Amino acid sequence: MSIYERIGVRPVINAATNLTRLGGSIMPTEVRQAMMEAADSYVNIVDMQRAVSARVAALTHNESAYVSSGAAAALTLVTAALITACDEARVRRLPLPDGPNYDVLIHKSQRNGYDRAVAQVGVNIVEFGLGCSKTEAWELEAAYTPRTLAVYYFTGALKEKYALPLGHVVKSAHARGIPVVVDAAAQLPPVENLWRYTRDLGADIAIFSGGKGLCGPQPTGLALGRKSIIDGIYVNASPAHGIGRPMKVGKEEMAGLLAAVERFVRLDHKAVMARYEAVVQSFLEGLAGIPGVTAFREFPNESGQMMPCAVVNLDESVLGMTRDAVVSALLSGEPSIAVGASHMGIYLNPQPLRDGEEGIVIERLKEVLRR
Ligand SMILES: *Cc1c(COP(=O)(O)O)cnc(C)c1O
């Protein structure tokens, strides 16, 4: 009997995306193995963090790295580190009280729920650009003040649509000695993104989730980049008593994430992408000819990641069923299947699916749509 059966929680087939609320991703065998091995001993946790980070930095062609308890935690820790560097007296002052503290500049079009992880340090989030049209270079220039701590940049095709190019932002900020932090939590693959934003485009830090495309432990994340900034994380993070003390990372998660990065940089990404394409194709073929249903391939996918997905538009009047009814029928059915809700229907993503699950998804979907 599985743990899920034993406690009465239904497992879900995930055709939506690598979502925290669905349990992140599925860890490959080598990741689980590494976690099991790490679990079998005590270790100096700071030594472990430094050793794992050094390996991750080398594998990703970065000066330095830090394993955090998720990308959101990395946003908090990096923000804290930018304020404190290695000064422990400053660490004690965080979070900063309300008032004219530091400003973190963010494109208005890139605001999202995760910038709470930045704001909780006590900095002001200052928007630039209109958010609904291309941002102009002068709008960034006009946003700098003596209080500017950093520019935060959220990558992905959708988030970058109205934004200045990252390379431009880096040049502009660096001309004033201001660092640029990139949140690329969900932007893997392509694997090159692990070094593209930092080594190639000059951003000071790039942040990734461990529990999304990397298929590492769900509660992990990575900050990659400049050593002088990452050194400042240690004084803020567990086991030190800074603002990051509650964002603890275990030796098992560190080992698991290292194994996930080792696997990911060695992976045959061409073959992975070919599998994604084949899965999307099987969705399109499986859904062909159902009245009220139009399915097509989209690339980049619905959330701007560089991989294909199947978008399934639903004509609710022909189907006699709303999109939400389709989504909830799939979720409450047997097996439970999660799909994404899109503007005119649903989308199906190959990335979170395990081999063979696409057939189950398509059969259930056909059953629901033909009802
Ligand atoms: C998922 C995500 C995060 C949070 O990542 P966790 O690893 O779950 O903490 C932060 N930023 C963006 C843009 C994300 O997509």
Side-chain angles (χ1 to χ4, degrees), residues 12 21 45 87 127 263 311 320:
V12 178
R21 65 187 159 77
I45 203 74
D87 180 347
E127 299 174 352
R263 170 186 170 272
V311 175

Side-chain angles (χ1 to χ4, degrees), residues 20 70-73 75 114 154 183 185-186 209 212 220:
T20 293
L75 284 167
Y114 297 108
F154 292 79
D183 178 352
S209 270
K212 293 180 182 169
T220 58

